[in-house]
């Protein structure tokens, strides 16, 4: 028996090894090093630095209103994105699934924006917001379109949401489509025969059957929304001022532009890491419980 | 037919590959040939590593370095091999920092004079160059940018900036205006332009470094007149930006209330297009956008003038600063050769053509070439004593002021809140760099 289990580990190592080495060198070691630096006052250049315990963490949460504001802004963004992205994606998926002949066409159309890189779609939309919409407002009577879509903090949040949704919904839609196709036809027919309305059938038959997809999509959107950077960078650059600054931008600014406080910025990243960890952990635990097998 | 094409392509590819190898071999042979000769004369051979983040000028540097290698061979019988590394400007400072931190410093490297010299000098990565011959040739207006607080020259400036704001000369002469020297005169200019249905200012505040430009001008002007010790006091936590309140906001408000619309959606390039199209008479911007402006309107006649910040004409000054500068690593094993190269950059004969081909401004007394009209405009002010060194404010403060003034323009922060944020940024800089 020992020989056999030994062999098992050998083959496991042989398969996992190469990938794990790269993973360790390029992700694991830097992550651990980053956590190590979060307890120091290193400035990214000076060979001498010293440990300062939890001072970085305390300063970030207590004395740094910009960081806290960016954290709140990110949370607001996460809330909007997780809800809207999943609702829209599911609606689109159900809509497409109900078509027979044009299914392929719509699927392609809605997935298309996802194939454009985020930063490019942000630049495209910058043009739409700053040039196209004001022109439309001028030519038609829709005066409400002539706003400072990306220059005014009141509207720029919604501009960011619009672009993120435009870019991200397609991918989630594909996942939901796959899940919807996996719902057994027999269950739906049985519900139909029992006299369930289409809405009842969707709520009580389809939804439970696609919970695993909902878990995945929630996980992906939650994770992605916390780490948002390109869209905001491309649209507003965090401005005007810091009104649309997300947490990743705040970290970048701290590490690479302000006072080059690498240690302090690492502490902020660790805080972000912990937040994401907690949120996704709770989410997975809660959603896993609701999954059912056909 | 298809196979035919493929085989032709293959042959062609192979041929180019071989040709590539061939040319390498040739140079290799040539090099070793020289080496053989050198051995007989007991020449020293030296490898010099350079790190200059200006890939767009690679040809110019290559040529100049080749001249240097020839000169070094002729004068001192040293065979110099130069490894020139030219990363893009975006990640250059990251790469350089990694090199320095891992004791793998290039012999000669380029840094940003005003932004990077203080921290690099403090970390001990810059060689003292005060006694080098080139230091004596630097223009008095340029030298302070590469001098540390304790009076040592630690770098050789390549790119220098002389700026205030840009104005459209055609619009000014059509309306019989000249660049104003006081804030009251500026107000009169603005009124006259408005009366003639011309927007006085182009605003472009999408990128936060553009509104930021008003701060060096205001602080520079004040330091030259009422408040010469401002930066020193700030470094000791003994002053506050409230001293600068009217200097910054009087002129900033004037610009904002007489500018183009939707400023928070207009970036630098868009602003250049608006200015080039003559949709505004003035633009708070330096001549570094000249190329972009001329690209969209090659016939535009524009000039550089100092921005008035109050009614004291002595505070209306052109800002002088340096950006890309060459420094020598103190750990360099070939320091003599590295220093020779730096001196050769400001060589009495060769330097003129080099700086002219790079389109840089003159930095030394030996530079006698003709520069652009807008640079000449600025230099006229400099020669008349109407200039000030870029105040040595921490980068963090400059970043903060850009964000703050953006938010102020968008109506989110009051003047006092902006100034308070600046004070805080400087205090935290002091704390970090104690």
């Amino acid at each position: 028996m020992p020989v056999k289990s030994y062999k098992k580990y050998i083959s496991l190592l042989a398969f996992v090894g190469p990938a794990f080495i790269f993973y360790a060198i390029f992700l694991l070691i830097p992550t651990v090093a980053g956590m190590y630096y979060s307890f120091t006052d290193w400035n990214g250049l000076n060979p001498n630095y010293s440990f300062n315990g939890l001072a970085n963490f305390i300063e970030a949460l207590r004395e740094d209103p910009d960081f806290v504001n960016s954290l709140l802004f990110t949370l607001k963004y996460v809330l909007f994105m997780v809800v809207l992205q999943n609702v829209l994606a599911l609606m689109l998926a159900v809509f497409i699934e109900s078509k027979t002949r044009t299914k392929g066409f719509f699927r392609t159309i809605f997935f298309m924006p996802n194939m454009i890189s985020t930063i490019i779609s942000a630049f495209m939309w910058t043009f739409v917001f700053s040039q196209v919409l004001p022109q439309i407002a001028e030519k038609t009577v829709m005066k409400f379109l002539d706003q400072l879509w990306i220059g005014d903090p009141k509207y720029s949040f919604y501009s960011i949401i619009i672009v993120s949704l435009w870019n991200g919904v397609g991918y989630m839609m594909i996942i939901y489509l796959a899940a919807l196709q996996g719902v057994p036809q027999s269950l739906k027919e049985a519900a139909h025969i029992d006299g369930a309305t289409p809405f009842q059938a969707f709520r009580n038959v389809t939804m439970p059957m696609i919970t695993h997809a909902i878990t995945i999509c929630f996980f992906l959107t939650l994770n992605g929304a916390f780490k948002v950077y390109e869209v905001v960078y491309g649209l507003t650059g965090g401005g005007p001022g810091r009104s649309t600054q997300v947490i990743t931008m705040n970290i970048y600014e701290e590490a690479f532009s302000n006072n080059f406080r690498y240690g302090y910025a690492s502490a902020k990243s660790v805080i972000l890491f912990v937040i994401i960890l907690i949120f996704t952990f709770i989410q997975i635990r809660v959603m896993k419980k609701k999954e059912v097998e056909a | 037919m298809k196979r035919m094409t493929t085989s032709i392509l293959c042959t062609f590819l192979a041929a180019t590959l071989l040709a590539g190898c061939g040319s390498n071999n040739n140079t290799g042979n040539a090099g070793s040939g020289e080496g053989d000769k050198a051995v007989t004369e007991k020449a020293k051979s030296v490898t010099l590593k350079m790190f200059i983040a200006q890939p767009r000028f690679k040809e110019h540097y290559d040529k100049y370095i080749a001249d240097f290698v020839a000169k070094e061979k002729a004068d001192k019988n040293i065979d110099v091999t130069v490894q020139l590394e030219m990363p893009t400007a975006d990640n250059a400072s990251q790469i350089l920092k990694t090199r320095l931190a891992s004791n793998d410093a290039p012999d000669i490297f380029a840094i940003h004079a005003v932004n990077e010299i203080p921290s690099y000098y403090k970390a001990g990565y810059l060689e003292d160059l005060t006694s080098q011959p080139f230091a004596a040739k630097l223009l008095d207006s340029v030298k302070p940018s590469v001098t540390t607080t304790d009076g040592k020259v630690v770098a050789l400036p390549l790119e220098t900036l002389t700026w205030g704001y840009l104005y459209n000369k055609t619009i000014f002469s059509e309306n019989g205006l000249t660049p104003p020297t006081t804030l009251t005169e500026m107000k009169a200019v603005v009124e006259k332009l408005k009366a003639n249905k011309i927007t006085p200012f182009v605003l472009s505040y999408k990128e936060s470094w553009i509104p930021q430009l008003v701060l060096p001008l205001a602080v520079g002007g004040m330091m030259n007149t009422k408040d010469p010790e401002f930066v020193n006091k700030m470094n000791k936590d003994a002053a506050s930006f409230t001293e600068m309140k009217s200097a910054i906001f009087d002129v900033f408000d004037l610009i904002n209330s007489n500018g183009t619309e939707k400023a928070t959606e207009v970036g630098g390039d868009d602003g250049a297009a608006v200015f080039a199209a003559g949709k505004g008479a003035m633009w708070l911007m330096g001549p570094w956008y000249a190329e972009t402006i001329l690209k969209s309107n090659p016939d535009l006649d524009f000039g550089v003038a100092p921005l008035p910040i109050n009614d004291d004409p002595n505070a209306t000054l052109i800002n002088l600063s340096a950006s890309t500068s060459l420094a020598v690593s103190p750990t360099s094993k070939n320091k003599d050769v590295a220093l020779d190269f730096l001196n050769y950059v400001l060589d009495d004969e060769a330097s003129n053509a080099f700086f002219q081909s790079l389109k840089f401004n003159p930095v030394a007394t030996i530079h006698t070439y003709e520069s652009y009209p807008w640079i000449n405009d600025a230099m006229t002010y400099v020669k008349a004593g109407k200039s000030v060194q870029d105040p040595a404010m921490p980068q963090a403060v400059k970043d903060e002021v850009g964000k703050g003034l953006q938010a102020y323009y968008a109506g989110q922060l009051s003047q006092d809140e902006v100034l308070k944020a600046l004070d805080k940024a400087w205090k935290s800089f002091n704390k970090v760099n104690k």
Side-chain angles (χ1 to χ4, degrees):
Chain A
M1 277 316 263
V3 178
K4 202 182 174 190
S5 67
Y6 170 74
K7 265 191 180 166
K8 200 175 82 185
Y9 284 121
I10 284 285
S11 69
L12 181 73
L13 266 181
F15 279 110
V16 173
F20 183 76
I21 289 169
F22 280 103
Y23 177 77
I25 292 176
F26 292 108
L27 205 83
L28 215 56
I29 296 173
T31 308
V32 175
M35 288 181 180
Y36 167 79
Y37 287 125
S38 70
F39 298 102
T40 68
D41 60 359
W42 192 43
N43 71 354
L45 178 65
N46 207 324
N48 303 314
Y49 56 86
S50 54
F51 280 93
N52 57 0
L54 291 172
N56 285 335
F57 294 91
I58 294 167
E59 184 182 343
L61 294 173
R62 276 222 189 129
E63 294 159 30
D64 197 338
D66 293 331
F67 177 69
V68 176
N69 285 339
S70 71
L71 190 60
L72 294 177
F73 184 83
T74 313
L75 283 176
K76 186 171 145 196
Y77 174 84
V78 169
L79 188 73
F80 272 75
M81 280 303 286
V82 169
V83 173
L84 287 177
Q85 202 170 355
N86 285 295
V87 169
L88 285 178
L90 191 55
M91 271 167 57
L92 283 177
V94 172
F95 164 75
I96 289 172
E97 193 55 24
S98 70
K99 302 277 162 199
T100 44
R101 297 180 63 189
T102 49
K103 197 188 267 182
F105 172 73
F106 280 113
R107 201 170 48 199
T108 316
I109 287 294
F110 287 119
F111 187 68
M112 203 87 96
N114 195 262
M115 294 168 44
I116 303 170
S117 91
T118 328
I119 190 78
I120 290 174
S121 61
F123 286 139
M124 265 166 54
W125 277 91
T126 308
F127 181 74
V128 172
F129 284 131
S130 63
Q131 307 285 335
V132 178
L133 290 184
Q135 290 287 333
I136 292 176
E138 209 174 278
K139 299 282 175 343
T140 63
V141 284
M142 293 184 282
K143 282 277 171 283
F144 69 94
L145 283 179
D146 189 17
Q147 304 285 1
L148 281 169
W149 285 105
I150 50 178
D152 186 332
K154 269 187 295 203
Y155 303 103
S156 48
F157 175 71
Y158 300 101
S159 310
I160 293 169
I161 292 283
I162 289 170
V163 180
S164 311
L165 286 177
W166 180 79
N167 196 281
V169 160
Y171 192 68
M172 300 303 140
M173 181 195 77
I174 294 288
I175 298 178
Y176 281 126
L177 264 180
L180 284 176
Q181 281 161 5
V183 178
Q185 203 61 36
S186 57
L187 288 182
K188 282 194 209 163
E189 274 168 21
H192 186 67
I193 291 165
D194 286 344
T197 62
F199 178 73
Q200 281 172 327
F202 179 76
R203 233 207 99 170
N204 296 317
V205 179
T206 314
M207 279 292 264
M209 292 304 295
I210 60 165
T211 322
H212 61 284
I214 299 180
T215 314
I216 295 169
C217 288
F218 261 71
F219 173 76
L220 288 175
T221 46
L222 195 68
N223 229 322
F226 266 114
K227 293 189 287 195
V228 60
Y229 185 87
E230 305 102 305
V231 178
V232 186
Y233 177 81
L235 277 179
T236 67
R242 286 198 179 83
S243 52
T244 55
Q245 196 175 52
V246 286
I247 190 164
T248 44
M249 271 184 148
N250 186 279
I251 292 170
Y252 180 87
E253 188 185 281
E254 196 67 61
F256 300 108
S257 65
N258 274 356
N259 282 326
F260 300 106
R261 298 176 65 189
Y262 275 44
Y264 184 43
S266 302
K268 287 180 174 182
S269 325
V270 172
I271 294 175
L272 175 65
F273 169 73
V274 170
I275 291 174
I276 298 180
L277 195 71
I278 293 172
F279 270 83
T280 42
F281 190 69
I282 295 173
Q283 181 251 330
I284 300 257
R285 282 294 284 277
V286 170
M287 308 263 316
K288 272 278 178 199
K289 273 187 197 158
K290 293 198 172 163
E291 279 179 28
V292 290
E293 297 276 325
Chain B
M1 187 59 205
K2 200 178 173 189
R3 182 178 286 177
M4 183 77 172
T5 335
T6 324
S7 58
I8 288 176
L9 276 176
C10 279
T11 326
F12 187 68
L13 198 68
T16 36
L17 276 175
L18 284 174
C21 293
S23 63
N24 279 344
N25 285 340
N26 285 343
T27 48
N29 287 338
S32 56
E34 272 172 29
D36 292 341
K37 208 170 80 188
V39 168
T40 52
E41 294 163 21
K42 282 183 186 162
K44 222 169 92 183
S45 71
V46 158
T47 305
L48 206 58
K49 284 188 208 152
M50 294 192 198
F51 185 97
I52 303 170
Q54 291 184 318
R56 63 186 195 280
F57 296 132
K58 185 167 188 316
E59 285 170 28
H60 300 105
Y61 281 108
D62 279 346
K63 187 173 164 291
Y64 203 68
I65 288 169
D67 291 349
F68 168 71
V69 169
K71 184 176 184 286
E72 200 71 2
K73 174 81 181 153
D75 290 1
K76 297 193 177 168
N77 197 17
I78 301 177
D79 279 317
V80 186
T81 318
V82 174
Q83 289 176 2
L84 177 61
E85 195 179 351
M86 293 194 143
T88 55
D90 295 341
N91 44 24
S93 95
Q94 289 305 314
I95 301 174
L96 183 59
K97 277 181 186 174
T98 320
R99 291 278 161 77
L100 293 172
S102 59
N103 282 327
D104 182 25
D107 299 306
I108 295 175
F109 51 87
I111 54 175
H112 189 285
V114 178
N115 294 346
E116 293 180 329
I117 281 183
S119 62
Y120 280 63
Y121 178 65
K122 220 176 140 220
Y125 292 137
L126 304 180
E127 172 80 3
D128 181 7
L129 306 171
T130 318
S131 54
Q132 292 303 312
F134 81 81
K137 296 180 193 166
L138 292 176
L139 291 174
D140 288 340
S141 59
V142 171
K143 207 168 178 178
S145 320
V146 289
T147 310
T148 58
T149 43
D150 51 1
K152 286 177 183 149
V153 176
V154 289
L156 188 157
L158 285 176
E159 273 186 293
T160 52
L161 307 167
T162 46
W163 60 281
Y165 65 91
L166 302 178
Y167 68 101
N168 187 323
K169 280 188 174 169
T170 320
I171 294 181
F172 266 59
S173 66
E174 274 169 8
N175 293 284
L177 298 168
T178 49
T181 53
T182 64
L183 198 60
T184 317
E185 281 178 45
M186 181 57 114
K187 279 178 188 151
V189 166
V190 167
E191 288 310 317
K192 179 121 191 231
L193 287 170
K194 277 206 294 194
N196 293 337
K197 300 247 159 48
I198 296 165
T199 314
F201 287 98
V202 174
L203 303 185
S204 53
Y205 294 157
K206 190 183 176 194
E207 293 146 26
S208 63
W209 63 270
I210 300 176
Q212 174 266 131
L213 295 173
V214 77
L215 186 78
L217 295 175
V219 172
M222 289 298 277
M223 281 180 67
N224 210 42
T225 50
K226 288 176 199 151
D227 209 349
E229 288 298 306
F230 179 70
V231 168
N232 289 340
K233 281 191 290 182
M234 284 305 283
N235 281 334
K236 287 177 202 145
D237 283 343
S240 157
F241 267 100
T242 44
E243 297 170 29
M244 295 289 161
K245 186 170 173 177
S246 76
I248 297 171
F249 286 107
D250 286 356
V251 68
F252 194 61
D253 284 344
L254 180 72
I255 293 173
N256 289 346
S257 51
N258 296 292
T260 46
E261 284 177 353
K262 291 193 174 179
T264 42
E265 298 200 341
V266 180
D269 290 339
D270 305 326
V274 173
F275 181 72
K279 285 181 193 157
M282 292 170 269
W283 188 26
L284 180 62
M285 182 54 71
W288 50 83
Y289 258 99
E291 217 167 303
T292 321
I293 294 171
L294 291 179
K295 221 176 257 169
S296 62
N297 181 4
D299 303 324
L300 189 79
D301 188 13
F302 64 95
V304 176
L307 185 74
I309 52 165
N310 53 29
D311 277 338
D312 182 355
N314 292 327
T316 306
L317 302 167
I318 288 280
N319 185 297
L320 292 176
S321 72
S323 54
T324 313
S325 308
L326 293 181
V328 172
S329 165
T331 57
S332 166
K333 289 192 191 79
N334 305 306
K335 211 179 278 176
D336 292 342
V337 183
L339 292 174
D340 281 348
F341 179 75
L342 247 60
N343 284 315
Y344 186 65
V345 169
L346 287 188
D347 184 76
D348 289 342
E349 286 146 27
S351 179
N352 239 339
F354 180 56
F355 272 71
Q356 193 172 13
S357 69
L358 292 170
K359 294 179 182 158
F360 289 165
N361 303 337
V363 300
T365 45
I366 53 161
H367 289 153
T368 49
Y369 55 87
E370 189 65 27
S371 47
Y372 290 104
W374 51 88
I375 300 299
N376 286 342
D377 275 5
M379 289 314 276
T380 320
Y381 287 103
V382 175
K383 283 186 185 129
K386 294 261 173 210
S387 67
V388 65
Q389 281 302 317
D390 193 40
M393 288 182 283
Q395 186 61 29
V397 174
K398 292 183 187 175
D399 288 348
E400 187 65 41
V401 77
K403 300 253 160 62
L405 291 180
Q406 247 184 354
Y408 172 69
Y409 176 81
Q412 294 173 289
L413 290 183
S414 70
Q415 299 186 354
D416 291 325
E417 280 166 331
V418 173
L419 298 173
K420 220 163 139 191
L422 293 185
D423 283 343
K424 193 185 159 223
W426 204 315
K427 280 213 178 85
S428 87
F429 169 81
N430 288 343
K431 203 174 87 185
V432 173
N433 293 285
K434 227 184 302 184

